Amino acid sequence: MKSNLTHLSNEHTSVVIQTHPMPEILYWGAPLSGSVETLKLALQRPVPQARLDQDVPLSLLPELAKGQYGSPGLEGHRANKDWFASFTTVAVQEHASTLNFVCEDAIAKLSLTIHLELDESGVLSLSQTITNTNTSDQAYNVQRLALTLPIPRHIQELRHFRGRWTREFQTEVIDWRAHNFVQENRRGRTSHENFPGLIAGQRGHDEQQGEVYAVHLGWSGNHRIKADVKSDGRRLIQAEELLDAGEISLAAGESYSTPVLYASYSAKGLNALSQQFHAFVRQNILHFPVSAKRPVHLNTWEGIYFDHDPNYIIKMIEASAKMGVERFIIDDGWFVGRHDDKAALGDWQIDADKYPEGFTPIVDAIHANGMEFGLWVEPEMVNKESTLYRQHPEWMLSTQGYEQLSGRWQYLLDLQQQPVFDYLLDCLDKILSAYPITYLKWDMNRELLQSSHMGRAAVHGQTQAFYRLLEALRAKHPNVEVESCSSGGGRIDYGVLQRTQRFWTSDNNDALERQIIQKGMSYFFPPEVMGSHIGPAHCHTTMRRHAISFRGITALFGHMGVELDPLAVDEQERQAFSHYIALHKQWRDLLHSGLSYRVELPDEQSQAQVVVAIDQQQALVAVAQLAMPAYAIAEVLRIPGLQAQQIYRLSVLDQPENLPHIMKQLPLWMSEGLTISGEQLEKAGLQLPVLDPETALLFSLEAIN
């Protein structure tokens, strides 16, 4: 008799699935060796009193029809019938680390395919496709199709991510012993408020220890994530595209596919979990058009805003090159009639009043100074004060008969209308064909509202059309990189990252806020996709002032750029910018390929991060003090990830200018130097100096052969 179990396994994890009557994960955790057939008997559940008379499996598609009284995996109907589906596995297709379960409900005339894949990084991918197999003319309306994963009962804490504009990726840990957690996003983009990711861990888990599970829905539209504790003690996490009423209606033979849910398990805390996600992104999600180092950016937005003067910009270009900038980006304000944020979106032609010779003098200056040229666009949007809107008001994404609120004085274009799609693709194609542009900063500065296409809800279709527009543009211009910006971090997820190369992490360049934002983002994303810029001393979003050392070290651990007018700062500040740009260039190969660690410190106002080379021959360490230290003597930093018997030379690379003023004596290693083994650094650690609030210390470790 053929086994009813199948086993996906690698060095990171094992997933054991019972295939019939419906796919059910019996075990997901640390790798198992040998035969798993015994698990069938070992994990057989008892049937309690006062419930149904048979065991009720928690399958990958929980079904109300089979007694799963929680949130079902599928909700829908066909003309108010067939509302209650009950599937059976009819085929299992297995190839290497991939499983496809084909399931059918012959009565409701529905087919379901469940796709499960375990990557070598340890990341598990789950997606589903529902097909209407009815040959009649009655459509099947999908209300929900959720992706469900079981979580072991000893996992009793949840770590979720909340935020707002300029304060993304705020992390919060909550109790999950007997509580349900639901997060919904209806903003039509990934959102600043509710990143579609969730981490579940053992009580007291941290960066270095404890069993942890994480999920991320790779989707740039509406979503719902639910973490449920059932009354029998079983736990599950459910993630789905949040569909509006009537959004998905399947005619005979039509299908709907969910976004992909990416999940990972670690027995060694959050750092190992993140490293698995980072490896997966690098190997499977991220596609750089040119295999080269990530160039240092200068973006003009916080330097000149809408005030564009080519002669002045050329001087900025020359000053930027002297600082070490490698890619110069013209931000908002370059196209016809764009003098503020109230007009001209949609009119994607160069403003001849501002640029009488087009971009040619700008491009010549950029290339003469050894840099690349990048440009800001916001293709999905339109202002009512624009030629495009006056000619085509029907192109706006709206619900007929209703007055829609504006956001930043703008509205969305209906990308599902083919003339709109073609117009935008043509505009972008023309500008990219006319000039040697290697990078687009693709912005999206408002949420969707009253989104209808041909009278029907359209968030799903708009999101898919956005993806197609990116893909069509990349097909025409494969060497152009694209950054996903959405008022900063409003559209950050694996779905958009499959089609772009960089995120603008936040509109907030305040280094203190960025320390928290970048830490939260690092749980799922590697440093090379995290746009991290040094802003002016006086932050434009918080009005705080920070020393260049704190700004520079904070921006170092990402894809670095600068956001300023280099002509508006003095020579000393320009030299300081040059220093941190050079430092980033020196270490970016390590930063963009190594293993990243977040280090827990006793003082919650202290934050440490470490990046270790894959061969363990180098490491870069930063310690930031966010607020007043909790103790008079600073903590000892234990540095993970090093080779135990290897001897390392420690070198201080950067420190606060006024560091000694609150100590009579610095730790001796700061003045006398230190060579020490990786084992001693990990187990005994390194005594840190006392740091002032909003300062940082940077040092390196180099193996001595």
Side-chain angles (χ1 to χ4, degrees):
M1 180 178 176
K2 189 175 180 181
S3 173
N4 193 24
L5 294 186
T6 187
H7 182 199
L8 299 177
S9 185
N10 59 28
E11 63 177 306
H12 301 286
T13 189
S14 279
V15 185
V16 179
I17 304 107
Q18 184 164 283
T19 62
H20 294 75
M22 277 289 281
E24 178 191 7
I25 292 179
L26 298 184
Y27 173 85
W28 175 27
L32 298 174
S33 59
S35 172
V36 295
E37 288 297 320
T38 50
L39 289 182
K40 208 169 178 180
L41 183 61
L43 297 177
Q44 178 64 48
R45 289 177 294 272
V47 179
Q49 290 288 1
R51 290 181 177 267
L52 298 175
D53 296 332
Q54 287 82 35
D55 176 56
V56 179
L58 179 58
S59 71
L60 291 175
L61 186 86
E63 295 168 287
L64 183 60
K66 293 175 182 167
Q68 277 295 347
Y69 290 109
S71 178
L74 173 66
E75 291 185 59
H77 65 92
R78 184 183 286 108
N80 300 323
K81 297 180 180 179
D82 298 328
W83 62 275
F84 152 132
S86 181
F87 289 93
T88 302
T89 302
V90 296
V92 180
Q93 301 161 350
E94 186 169 0
H95 177 70
S97 60
T98 300
L99 291 169
N100 284 316
F101 300 97
V102 180
C103 312
E104 289 183 357
D105 181 339
I107 296 173
K109 293 183 172 54
L110 295 171
S111 174
L112 177 77
T113 300
I114 301 173
H115 178 81
L116 201 63
E117 182 173 358
L118 181 63
D119 183 73
E120 62 183 2
S121 65
V123 171
L124 185 69
S125 300
L126 173 64
S127 61
Q128 296 175 159
T129 298
I130 187 81
T131 302
N132 178 10
T133 58
N134 195 338
T135 57
S136 75
D137 59 357
Q138 287 187 334
Y140 182 80
N141 294 298
V142 180
Q143 296 169 241
R144 296 179 55 242
L145 183 57
L147 300 156
T148 305
L149 288 170
I151 303 295
R153 292 173 66 160
H154 65 278
I155 303 299
Q156 297 189 345
E157 287 182 339
L158 289 177
R159 186 177 297 255
H160 71 104
F161 303 87
R162 55 183 174 78
R164 63 171 176 84
W165 175 67
T166 67
R167 206 164 186 265
E168 298 86 344
F169 286 102
Q170 305 298 301
T171 308
E172 184 175 26
V173 179
I174 59 175
D175 183 86
W176 194 41
R177 282 175 293 184
H179 301 89
N180 295 336
F181 172 88
V182 179
Q183 170 184 296
E184 291 188 353
N185 167 48
R186 300 175 187 270
R187 295 178 179 270
R189 56 183 179 181
T190 320
S191 90
H192 301 81
E193 290 77 9
N194 293 305
F195 171 73
L198 194 63
I199 298 173
Q202 284 181 299
R203 293 183 66 78
H205 74 276
D206 61 25
E207 302 291 356
Q208 293 293 102
Q209 62 184 359
E211 284 193 287
V212 285
Y213 295 78
V215 299
H216 166 56
L217 189 68
W219 178 244
S220 308
N222 294 341
H223 66 265
R224 178 191 286 123
I225 293 181
K226 181 177 184 180
D228 196 1
V229 179
K230 299 174 66 63
S231 62
D232 61 17
R234 285 184 286 179
R235 287 161 162 71
L236 61 92
I237 292 178
Q238 220 171 45
E240 64 197 273
E241 179 186 5
L242 184 56
L243 297 170
D244 285 330
E247 198 161 11
I248 302 296
S249 181
L250 304 178
E254 289 186 339
S255 300
Y256 163 73
S257 295
T258 67
V260 178
L261 183 65
Y262 302 94
S264 194
Y265 161 82
S266 163
K268 298 179 181 178
L270 296 164
N271 279 325
L273 193 76
S274 294
Q275 288 163 9
Q276 289 169 198
F277 277 125
H278 293 185
F280 180 80
V281 168
R282 286 166 172 165
Q283 295 162 12
N284 301 281
I285 300 290
L286 192 57
H287 305 287
F288 289 120
V290 178
S291 181
K293 301 177 191 296
R294 315 310 314 130
V296 174
H297 286 195
L298 184 139
N299 189 284
T300 62
W301 178 242
E302 290 191 15
I304 59 173
Y305 293 104
F306 296 104
D307 187 14
H308 288 224
D309 175 356
N311 294 324
Y312 189 82
I313 290 173
I314 288 171
K315 293 177 182 178
M316 290 175 66
I317 290 166
E318 293 166 351
S320 300
K322 290 176 182 177
M323 292 194 312
V325 170
E326 297 163 307
R327 180 181 279 159
F328 190 93
I329 297 112
I330 300 288
D331 207 283
D332 196 357
W334 59 267
F335 48 100
V336 62
R338 187 67 165 175
H339 308 299
D340 54 35
D341 59 0
K342 295 182 180 181
L345 283 175
D347 299 341
W348 299 108
Q349 296 87 36
I350 298 173
D351 191 328
D353 291 335
K354 293 181 180 180
Y355 295 93
E357 298 178 69
F359 283 143
T360 300
I362 300 294
V363 171
D364 290 346
I366 287 172
H367 287 175
N369 284 276
M371 295 189 291
E372 299 177 23
F373 178 35
L375 192 66
W376 178 95
V377 293
E378 194 173 6
E380 298 155 84
M381 301 296 168
V382 65
N383 293 117
K384 286 189 175 180
E385 184 55 45
S386 67
T387 301
L388 180 67
Y389 183 81
R390 286 188 288 270
Q391 292 177 347
H392 294 289
E394 75 281 4
W395 284 8
M396 193 174 98
L397 185 67
S398 60
T399 302
Q400 189 173 3
Y402 293 86
E403 183 66 27
Q404 185 180 156
L405 298 173
S406 64
R408 207 188 180 214
W409 311 105
Q410 62 194 52
Y411 303 84
L412 280 104
L413 293 166
D414 183 358
L415 302 185
Q416 291 186 83
Q417 293 188 41
Q418 196 62 45
V420 178
F421 188 99
D422 293 342
Y423 168 79
L424 293 175
L425 182 59
D426 183 62
C427 287
L428 295 168
D429 178 40
K430 283 178 178 175
I431 193 75
L432 291 177
S433 299
Y435 298 100
I437 297 168
T438 61
Y439 161 92
L440 285 179
K441 179 180 178 180
W442 187 301
D443 213 340
M444 185 216 191
N445 278 306
R446 66 154 291 171
E447 293 96 350
L448 276 64
L449 188 65
Q450 299 181 9
S451 306
S452 294
H453 173 70
M454 299 180 68
R456 293 178 57 177
V459 176
H460 171 82
Q462 182 79 1
T463 307
Q464 294 282 22
F466 160 65
Y467 286 165
R468 289 196 302 273
L469 183 57
L470 278 174
E471 291 162 2
L473 188 66
R474 292 287 310 283
K476 287 177 175 289
H477 301 277
N479 293 327
V480 174
E481 292 186 19
V482 179
E483 173 181 274
S484 173
C485 175
S486 188
S487 296
R491 188 153 63 187
I492 293 179
D493 61 82
Y494 288 2
V496 71
L497 188 57
Q498 288 178 314
R499 301 156 174 93
T500 58
Q501 289 75 36
R502 188 183 200 257
F503 294 119
W504 183 225
T505 310
S506 176
D507 278 348
N508 193 346
N509 277 320
D510 183 310
L512 181 62
E513 299 295 337
R514 274 296 188 122
Q515 284 281 337
I516 304 299
I517 293 167
Q518 293 175 188
K519 179 181 179 181
M521 186 177 176
S522 73
Y523 285 102
F524 294 91
F525 299 93
E528 62 266 32
V529 305
M530 183 167 61
S532 183
H533 289 193
I534 312 173
H538 184 229
C539 179
H540 291 201
T541 51
T542 65
M543 299 295 118
R544 271 196 289 250
R545 300 187 70 88
H546 285 128
I548 184 64
S549 61
F550 189 49
R551 288 178 281 144
I553 293 173
T554 300
L556 198 72
F557 284 77
H559 180 187
M560 183 183 265
V562 294
E563 197 92 7
L564 84 162
D565 175 1
L567 303 175
V569 297
D570 60 28
E571 181 60 27
Q572 183 178 0
E573 183 84 344
R574 281 195 293 272
Q575 288 297 325
F577 272 81
S578 297
H579 166 73
Y580 290 101
I581 289 171
L583 201 56
H584 178 77
K585 290 179 180 179
Q586 179 184 349
W587 291 97
R588 67 182 161 191
D589 285 350
L590 168 64
L591 289 166
H592 296 169
S593 66
L595 296 175
S596 296
Y597 295 85
R598 297 167 300 269
V599 183
E600 301 273 359
L601 294 171
D603 181 357
E604 292 183 356
Q605 298 302 327
S606 297
Q607 191 163 287
Q609 54 189 322
V610 181
V611 181
V612 180
I614 298 297
D615 63 6
Q616 299 176 300
Q617 296 299 291
Q618 278 187 318
L620 192 64
V621 184
V623 180
Q625 187 68 41
L626 307 185
M628 277 292 289
Y631 309 104
I633 297 177
E635 47 268 289
V636 169
L637 174 66
R638 294 190 294 175
I639 302 174
L642 302 171
Q643 188 176 328
Q645 301 309 313
Q646 176 67 59
I647 303 301
Y648 295 89
R649 178 182 293 109
L650 190 152
S651 302
V652 176
L653 301 177
D654 204 85
Q655 65 186 51
E657 186 177 345
N658 61 347
L659 182 61
H661 95 274
I662 52 173
M663 290 171 285
K664 295 178 181 178
Q665 181 177 309
L666 289 169
L668 288 178
W669 62 266
M670 295 191 71
S671 56
E672 297 184 9
L674 180 66
T675 55
I676 186 172
S677 73
E679 180 183 51
Q680 291 176 356
L681 283 171
E682 182 165 11
K683 294 179 179 179
L686 185 71
Q687 173 63 59
L688 294 174
V690 180
L691 296 175
D692 279 329
E694 301 173 31
T695 63
L697 171 70
L698 182 72
F699 60 90
S700 65
L701 295 164
E702 298 271 2
I704 301 174
N705 295 321

